Amino acid sequence: MFSLIQAAGWPVWFLLLASVGAVALIVERAVSLKRSRVVPPRLLDDVLTMHRARQVTPEIVQRLEASSPLGRIFASGLRHEMAPREVMKEAMEETGRAVAHELEKYLSALGTISSIAPLMGLFGTVVGMIEIFGAQAPAGTNPQQLAHGISVALYNTALGLVVAIPAMIAYRYFRSRVDSHLVEMEQQSLRLIDTLRMHHDAIRASVMAESAAATAASAAAAAATPPPPARSAAKRGVKA
């Protein structure tokens, strides 16, 4: 390894730092963007089950918010479930934008590494070419300096491509994964909104039906009650 670095010259240190950063970012994003961590498979069903059982409490909402990015969006919707549909949807969309920003974290850095690594390799190539031309002298060519300049140029070009190609592949892959997660979270959020709206509409209709039934029963009971007997005119006269 040391002999490789020595043959590639000092410009290779920039590529080594870029490669270490790329590997660290790839590992971090691979762990953070796992589907089970971003979009848990049964989270929506669990939330709807708890909501039907009326087990959704502020403590449950806080735990849901801390569980996953999708849980944050659901928690925002549950906090506004009594508001109109547009307000609830807007609150979930605002949380979704914040979640999308977090999911895209470090992707720009990974894309930057994939873009500048070939330029770093080109810089090393130029340095090697300078050494090659420096090997030319009136007294003759310095073979050792000429060979070192050629190795610097070739090694830096190759290492620049070795760093850039995997970084670009990883960047494209993670970008696609983020887009897929966002689409799925949007679909599940809309399903949550529609389900909660239907549940509240059903409860409201049931309450109105019970109120109408109670009113009708009261009216029927009042109609079935016989009126009090009227006093006769004679009794009214005697009393007078």
Side-chain angles (χ1 to χ4, degrees):
M1 182 66 182
F2 179 75
S3 61
L4 176 65
I5 295 175
Q6 188 177 10
W10 61 267
V12 78
W13 287 105
F14 299 106
L15 286 170
L16 291 178
L17 292 176
S19 65
V20 172
V23 170
L25 293 176
I26 289 172
V27 172
E28 192 277 336
R29 286 292 86 188
V31 174
S32 299
L33 294 178
K34 291 176 62 177
R35 187 178 185 277
S36 59
R37 297 190 60 175
V38 179
V39 187
R42 293 192 54 82
L43 184 61
L44 178 59
D45 295 334
D46 294 340
V47 170
L48 293 178
T49 300
M50 288 189 297
H51 189 271
R52 293 190 192 99
R54 298 184 179 180
Q55 297 176 349
V56 179
T57 61
E59 292 78 13
I60 294 295
V61 173
Q62 290 180 357
R63 275 189 283 175
L64 179 64
E65 185 177 16
S67 64
S68 62
L70 181 60
R72 286 182 57 187
I73 299 176
F74 286 173
S76 177
L78 291 174
R79 290 193 180 100
H80 296 82
E81 64 173 323
M82 302 307 297
R85 186 181 189 278
E86 292 75 14
V87 176
M88 181 180 179
K89 183 179 179 181
E90 183 178 357
M92 296 179 73
E93 287 178 349
E94 290 179 358
T95 306
R97 285 191 287 269
V99 168
H101 178 72
E102 292 184 2
L103 294 180
E104 294 173 352
K105 184 171 59 175
Y106 303 138
L107 290 185
S108 60
L110 187 59
T112 301
I113 291 176
S114 67
S115 299
I116 67 173
L119 298 178
M120 292 180 180
L122 180 61
F123 173 73
T125 302
V126 172
V127 172
M129 296 297 293
I130 292 174
E131 291 192 10
I132 291 174
F133 285 111
Q136 306 295 327
T141 302
N142 186 346
Q144 185 177 0
Q145 187 176 357
L146 178 63
H148 184 262
I150 294 174
S151 65
V152 168
L154 296 179
Y155 274 120
N156 280 273
T157 303
L159 289 176
L161 296 176
V162 168
V163 174
I165 292 173
M168 177 59 71
I169 293 174
Y171 171 77
R172 295 294 184 184
Y173 172 72
F174 290 138
R175 172 63 64 181
S176 175
R177 181 181 287 189
V178 168
D179 293 340
S180 176
H181 289 336
L182 292 177
V183 170
E184 187 170 359
M185 285 191 290
E186 182 180 3
Q187 292 176 350
Q188 294 198 26
S189 300
L190 292 176
R191 181 182 169 190
L192 177 66
I193 293 174
D194 294 336
T195 304
L196 293 183
R197 290 297 97 191
M198 291 174 59
H199 184 249
H200 284 296
D201 291 342
I203 293 177
R204 190 178 299 109
S206 176
V207 171
M208 293 178 62
E210 291 177 359
S211 177
T215 303
S218 300
T225 302
R231 291 178 296 178
S232 62
K235 290 184 178 181
R236 287 198 300 269
V238 171
K239 186 175 181 180

